[in-house]
Structure formats: C-alpha cells, structure tokens
Amino acid sequence: MKKIVLCIISLVFCMGLLVSCSNKTAAETISKNEELIKLYFSDENAEYLVEEKRSIEDVTPQKAIQALIEGPKGKELKSLLPKELEVVDIVVKDGVAYVKFLFLNMEIMDQAQ
C-alpha cells in the first residue's frame, strides 16, 4: 500500500515537473540546449520526497518522465517508479500533463495488490 501511495504522489510531481519543463522560466538554463530540471525521489525510508537536480539536453516531457523512470543518481535515494515502465503517450493540456504508462512486467502489478 505504501508503494502505491508513493507512486501516486510521484505521478502528481511528474505532472508538476512536466508543466515546469514547458515553462522556460521555471527551469534554469545551463547551456543553449541544456536545462536543469528538478526530479523527486524517495528517501531511504520511503517517508519523504527529496529533490534531485539533473541537467537534460533539449528538455521534453518524455525526457523528464524517462529521467524519473531511470531513477536517482544519488545512492541514498530510491526511485518511485519501476524501471519496467514504458511511456506510451504524454498529453499536456491546460498546464496538466497526462501520462499513459505500459507495465512491461505484470508481476510488479501482482505484487502491489
């Protein structure tokens, strides 16, 4: 149950992240094609979300979500999304991002129930 709640929280943060990626003033510019975005991952105890900044070239909502799926660079943080996810579609409408995922390994879903 705790994993499901954290996944839902991370998806809400994904939506906020995608909105900020589409807004140039919300992301810090590093170079002409790179931007610094904020990703959120779980702490070691799965109690808090911790910000991790990452430089991404030519930021798109797809690249931001893919960075979340790949997980944190810091060893003390844990990913909230399983690596077996594939992004099927992302639609940004009225500042809200709607992400459609495909689970590549259905055993994960069985374990979550």
Side-chain angles (χ1 to χ4, degrees), residues 29-67:
T29 303
I30 295 173
S31 69
K32 188 174 182 179
N33 295 330
E34 285 190 4
E35 290 186 39
L36 192 63
I37 65 170
K38 297 175 184 178
L39 302 172
Y40 293 87
F41 299 101
S42 175
D43 68 345
E44 292 176 340
N45 300 321
E47 294 179 337
Y48 302 101
L49 292 174
V50 180
E51 176 185 295
E52 181 178 276
K53 292 182 181 180
R54 191 161 315 160
S55 172
I56 297 183
E57 191 172 316
D58 298 321
V59 176
T60 63
Q62 289 82 0
K63 287 184 179 181
I65 291 293
Q66 190 59 44

Side-chain angles (χ1 to χ4, degrees), residues 84 101-113:
E84 292 83 3
F101 292 106
L102 173 67
F103 283 95
L104 299 177
N105 184 350
M106 290 308 291
E107 289 180 21
I108 292 172
M109 290 302 292
D110 293 336
Q111 292 172 359
Q113 295 178 355

Side-chain angles (χ1 to χ4, degrees), residues 78-90:
K78 294 182 179 183
S79 182
L80 297 170
L81 300 175
K83 293 192 184 295
E84 292 83 3
L85 278 181
E86 181 179 310
V87 176
V88 175
D89 190 27
I90 298 176

